[in-house]
Amino acid sequence: MTGNDILLWDETLFKDLSVLEPDYLPEYFPHRDSQLNALRFALKPALRGMRPLNCLLVGPPGTGKTSAVMKTFREIEAHAPGIVTVKVNCQIDSTRFAVMSRIYRQLFGISPPNSGIAFRKLFETVVNFLVSSEKVLIVALDDLNYLCCEGHANEVMYSLLRAHEQYPGAKIGVIGIVNDASDLYCLDSRVNSVFLPEEISFPRYGEAEILDILKDRVRYGFYPKVISDEVLGLVVSYVEKTGDLRVGIDLLRRSGFNAERRGSRMILSEDAEKAYEASKLLHLCRGISLLSDSEKQLLELIARADDVKAGELYKSFHELTQLGYTRFYGMVNRLQTLNYVDADFTGKGKRGRTRIIKTKYEAEDILNCLKKS
């Protein structure tokens, strides 16, 4: 490394580090035109002062669901003062009171009292404001399944979706965001009969799409010639394993820090490889944290057993949770779809076919992530 190759202490490789933050909303949002158009069409009645269509955005983590909602909300806020948009992170606001408090803060700019106010009073205040001001409310419930885990999904959804029946003139639309539509098993018939969402699918990004999106982040996040096409291709190959774009953005950021730590003006393959070791576990832990309690219990049994037959696994799972085979079978398939386990059939069973289930990651890594979640 020559003197010109060494990065000085007050120099950086990053032109704009915010571009490589996970919550950054880029101007360039490709490969999701059909999803954005479907979302805009569903919300279009709100522009005319009517209740919008409800939506359900479904797809694996890191496929642009939340970004699509935030981009659409930004457009609405710029052109439609009669519409109030609220995004609720149900991992954080996982009770009906917390959800309504988030909406209250968006409407009034202050938090409601922490104690001494009932949910019903808070809800009435919100709805009466909407009716008197003739505003339309659109609520996006991100990771809606977390309300299922806490047992508050039906209360929240029922209150929002049927508000107009008790308060004539109330106009509220709901956007649910989930990784899998089966996550909403908890919604009862009262809610489903009024939710009736437009389902918008967000499939995993393909390799070419990942490359296109990350190239744009590189263009605005780093100074020119910091990362070569070859190293970017390595990053893309890592991301393609998961389909989670957030892993790629995190990888670029960590790779840049690794290069700076070496005092280099360029990111090398060794920087990306080292970053992947850290980012891989980050992705795994983030994904596992989104599983339901029952799915986590099942994954732990698989990690501890290592190469277990489906029948033996079900017996242990049933003893632990009292859940039936249908739920068990669905969870195994979901864990396989999410790439956490292999569940292949062999010819060794009594009737010629049995499933052998094993983890696709190191068991120790999975158990460590389960402890953190």
Side-chain angles (χ1 to χ4, degrees):
M1 188 180 286
T2 66
N4 290 336
D5 294 328
I6 297 172
L7 193 73
L8 301 180
W9 70 271
D10 60 344
E11 292 182 312
T12 180
L13 303 179
F14 298 99
K15 182 163 60 176
D16 184 354
L17 190 54
S18 70
V19 173
L20 301 172
E21 293 292 340
D23 56 354
Y24 175 78
L25 192 61
E27 284 298 317
Y28 182 59
F29 193 67
H31 314 299
R32 288 294 180 251
D33 287 344
S34 64
Q35 288 85 354
L36 282 169
N37 288 335
L39 189 56
R40 288 167 183 146
F41 180 81
L43 302 183
K44 193 174 180 181
L47 299 174
R48 301 192 298 273
M50 309 295 289
R51 267 192 304 137
L53 300 176
N54 300 313
C55 299
L56 183 64
L57 277 52
V58 182
T63 50
K65 302 184 297 297
T66 305
S67 293
V69 168
M70 297 311 295
K71 189 166 184 63
T72 307
F73 278 6
R74 192 173 281 182
E75 293 170 0
I76 288 171
E77 287 160 7
H79 300 103
I83 301 174
V84 179
T85 59
V86 185
K87 199 267 285 187
V88 181
N89 182 343
C90 297
Q91 284 194 57
I92 298 168
D93 297 317
S94 59
T95 68
R96 64 176 187 165
F97 191 87
V99 170
M100 202 52 58
S101 295
R102 182 70 59 184
I103 295 170
Y104 184 99
R105 278 195 290 275
Q106 185 73 12
L107 290 176
F108 301 109
I110 58 171
S111 298
N114 287 328
S115 60
I117 181 169
F119 170 81
R120 185 173 183 79
K121 179 66 177 172
L122 189 62
F123 182 66
E124 282 180 351
T125 305
V126 164
V127 179
N128 285 332
F129 172 81
L130 294 174
V131 173
S132 62
S133 63
E134 298 185 342
K135 289 186 181 292
V136 179
L137 173 65
I138 304 174
V139 182
L141 299 173
D142 202 355
D143 287 323
L144 171 56
N145 51 298
Y146 270 78
L147 294 180
C148 288
C149 297
E150 299 295 333
H152 295 282
N154 285 306
E155 294 171 324
V156 169
M157 296 286 279
Y158 193 80
S159 299
L160 293 170
L161 294 168
R162 307 201 78 144
H164 63 281
E165 295 177 4
Q166 193 171 356
Y167 303 89
K171 294 160 188 156
I172 301 174
V174 174
I175 301 170
I177 305 175
V178 293
N179 295 330
D180 191 306
S182 65
D183 290 341
L184 299 183
Y185 63 86
C186 69
L187 295 184
D188 64 27
S189 57
R190 295 179 314 150
V191 172
N192 284 322
S193 65
V194 287
F195 186 28
L196 301 173
E198 298 289 306
E199 190 167 315
I200 304 173
S201 176
F202 284 71
R204 281 174 54 152
Y205 288 112
E207 191 171 346
E209 293 171 333
I210 294 166
L211 176 60
D212 184 33
I213 295 166
L214 292 187
K215 267 187 176 177
D216 191 65
R217 296 294 179 106
V218 166
R219 184 179 302 120
Y220 293 102
F222 292 110
Y223 286 107
K225 299 180 180 178
V226 163
I227 185 168
S228 67
D229 289 344
E230 182 185 352
V231 175
L232 182 57
L234 178 63
V235 170
V236 170
S237 71
Y238 285 141
V239 181
E240 207 273 328
K241 292 178 183 177
T242 65
D244 187 338
L245 194 64
R246 293 173 302 187
V247 173
I249 295 164
D250 183 67
L251 263 174
L252 288 174
R253 190 165 168 269
R254 288 174 186 266
S255 298
F257 287 139
N258 288 341
E260 284 194 341
R261 197 172 288 119
R262 292 189 301 104
S264 172
R265 291 184 180 276
M266 284 195 70
I267 296 171
L268 303 180
S269 57
E270 65 192 66
D271 299 312
E273 287 161 4
K274 186 177 178 183
Y276 180 62
E277 287 307 309
S279 195
K280 176 179 67 173
L281 204 56
L282 183 77
H283 165 74
L284 178 64
C285 289
R286 183 194 290 129
I288 286 176
S289 73
L290 297 174
L291 298 177
S292 69
D293 289 343
S294 300
E295 287 167 341
K296 289 175 185 175
Q297 289 172 310
L298 178 57
L299 186 57
E300 182 173 356
L301 287 173
I302 297 167
R304 292 192 184 283
D306 191 28
D307 285 30
V308 61
K309 290 181 181 177
E312 296 168 6
L313 180 62
Y314 170 65
K315 185 179 177 184
S316 301
F317 180 71
H318 178 69
E319 287 173 0
L320 184 65
T321 65
Q322 304 306 307
L323 294 174
Y325 189 79
T326 302
R327 287 287 303 282
F328 165 78
Y329 186 82
M331 286 183 198
V332 169
N333 287 342
R334 179 156 148 70
L335 292 178
Q336 186 176 30
T337 301
L338 291 171
N339 239 14
Y340 298 138
V341 304
D342 270 327
D344 297 326
F345 284 99
T346 73
K348 297 178 181 177
K350 289 180 182 176
R351 298 175 188 171
R353 277 164 67 82
T354 187
R355 268 177 132 177
I356 300 294
I357 301 168
K358 58 187 178 183
T359 61
K360 294 187 79 167
Y361 291 83
E362 292 292 329
E364 188 180 347
D365 288 343
I366 284 181
L367 293 173
N368 283 336
C369 287
L370 283 167
K371 280 180 190 173
K372 294 174 183 176
S373 68

